[in-house]
């Protein structure tokens, strides 16, 4: 997840492991009772298309395999992630790991990244926050790719639609990182709600969607950037940043609206 407006480096999820590129801004945190930011433990067997984006030289380092962002396998050799995750990284420094539920283990399959496509109009306020990574070899068939939402897929973005987010991000606001993959059930929020919570105009319904759990306040967090928001069996969103929160709508997560970029993504999958 990226926070908005001012670029800065933030400390690693685990001290000494790595640094992340982040936007520094005051984001109003949801109260602890509403901040089930870690969700519940799941597995890559249940979400075989979820991959950890890492620095490949640290793939087998304890405790988190060099992970700093998430991604979604959309073909055996292509991973969709957020542009802000990789904009400042050389492709040769990147890797993608599938099938590693617990980042402390050495299982799963690592592939090096050979090419990074970043949306040409990606901006530092996280507009057009989408990237596609090309892997050096196909992932095994065990890791089933996830279809992407297209321009004709409007139902998954209707307010109230059930969706689910996946990632290895922070469990809380005390910088405790999840070692094992987690997921959280969310509801897609109305665009007007997202606009209200982003009065500076950063939320653009043409390229963004937002979601949370209105009861628990569950949402993505730092370290989940680039990971998938899934509904109706398709990738509908890419974890991008967090909106401001209030008592009635705690901390909605903002996602790149995949359907808005489906043609450009498809061009990268050929």
């Amino acid at each position: 997840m990226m926070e908005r407006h001012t670029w800065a480096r933030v400390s690693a999820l685990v001290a000494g492991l790595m640094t992340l590129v982040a936007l520094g801004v005051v984001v109003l945190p949801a109260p602890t009772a509403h901040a089930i930011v870690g969700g519940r433990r799941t597995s890559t067997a249940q979400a075989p298309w979820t991959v950890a984006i890492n620095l490949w030289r640290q793939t087998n380092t304890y405790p988190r395999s060099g992970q700093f962002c998430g991604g979604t396998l959309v073909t055996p050799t292509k991973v969709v992630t957020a542009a802000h995750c990789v904009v400042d990284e050389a492709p040769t420094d990147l890797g993608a790991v599938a099938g590693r539920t617990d980042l402390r283990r050495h299982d799963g399959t690592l592939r090096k990244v050979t090419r990074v496509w970043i949306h040409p109009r990606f901006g530092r306020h996280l507009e057009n926050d989408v990237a596609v990574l090309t892997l050096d070899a196909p992932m095994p068939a065990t890791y089933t790719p996830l279809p992407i939402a297209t321009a004709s897929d409007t139902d998954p973005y209707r307010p109230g639609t059930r969706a689910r987010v996946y990632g290895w991000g922070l469990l809380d606001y005390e910088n405790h990182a999840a070692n094992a993959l987690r997921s959280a059930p969310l509801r897609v929020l109305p665009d007007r709600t997202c606009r209200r919570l982003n009065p500076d105009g950063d939320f653009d319904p043409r390229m963004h969607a937002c979601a949370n759990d209105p009861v628990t306040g569950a949402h993505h967090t730092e370290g989940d950037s680039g990971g998938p928001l899934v509904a109706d069996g398709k990738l509908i969103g890419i974890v991008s940043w967090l909106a401001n929160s209030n008592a009635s709508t705690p901390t909605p997560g903002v996602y790149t609206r995949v359907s808005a970029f489906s043609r450009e993504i498809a061009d990268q999958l050929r």
Side-chain angles (χ1 to χ4, degrees):
M1 181 228 26
M2 289 293 285
E3 298 172 349
R4 301 176 299 155
H5 301 314
T6 303
W7 284 89
R9 283 286 189 185
V10 297
S11 59
L13 296 178
V14 175
L17 187 59
M18 60 181 301
T19 55
L20 307 178
V21 178
L23 292 172
V25 68
V26 176
V27 174
L28 301 178
T32 302
H34 296 288
I36 307 177
V37 295
R40 293 182 180 275
R41 181 165 174 159
T42 185
S43 71
T44 52
Q46 295 174 300
W49 24 259
T50 304
V51 300
I53 307 299
N54 69 349
L55 298 179
W56 71 267
R57 291 183 181 87
Q58 298 180 3
T59 300
N60 289 327
T61 58
Y62 184 84
R64 289 181 47 82
S65 301
Q67 184 269 348
F68 64 97
C69 273
T72 306
L73 192 70
V74 295
T75 79
T77 60
K78 302 286 184 175
V79 172
V80 170
T81 188
H84 76 254
C85 284
V86 294
V87 66
D88 292 326
E89 303 292 347
T92 52
D93 290 335
L94 297 173
V97 183
R100 186 171 294 182
T101 296
D102 191 323
L103 297 176
R104 296 169 295 185
R105 300 177 63 87
H106 293 172
D107 56 353
T109 301
L110 165 69
R111 294 290 185 256
K112 295 180 182 179
V113 173
T114 60
R115 180 175 179 269
V116 175
W117 174 83
I118 294 172
H119 195 284
R121 293 188 298 280
F122 168 66
R124 297 294 181 168
H125 291 290
L126 301 191
E127 59 270 24
N128 307 300
D129 191 14
V130 56
V132 178
L133 312 182
T134 300
L135 308 180
D136 66 341
M139 285 290 186
T142 307
Y143 311 127
T144 310
L146 186 67
I148 65 170
T150 66
S152 62
D153 290 313
T154 57
D155 286 348
Y157 297 98
R158 295 185 188 281
T161 297
R162 295 176 182 270
R164 186 170 284 272
V165 65
Y166 296 82
W168 288 270
L170 299 182
L171 297 170
D172 52 34
Y173 293 107
E174 302 300 323
N175 289 339
H176 297 132
N179 290 314
L181 180 64
R182 288 180 175 257
S183 72
L186 308 178
R187 297 275 187 167
V188 175
L189 296 173
D191 290 340
R192 64 180 179 275
T193 300
C194 299
R195 283 198 191 99
R196 185 177 73 249
L197 294 171
N198 292 274
D200 293 334
D202 287 345
F203 179 83
D204 184 342
R206 295 171 298 178
M207 66 177 70
H208 298 136
C210 70
N212 75 346
D213 185 321
V215 176
T216 67
H219 56 77
H220 65 252
T221 187
E222 195 72 58
D224 292 326
S225 283
L229 179 69
V230 180
D232 293 351
K234 295 183 177 182
L235 176 67
I236 71 164
I238 303 165
V239 173
S240 189
W241 43 277
L242 289 179
N244 292 328
S245 63
N246 61 31
S248 61
T249 310
T251 318
V254 179
Y255 302 82
T256 301
R257 186 181 290 251
V258 170
S259 64
F261 300 96
S262 58
R263 289 185 180 180
E264 290 152 302
I265 294 172
D267 286 343
Q268 304 303 313
L269 306 186
R270 296 172 181 171

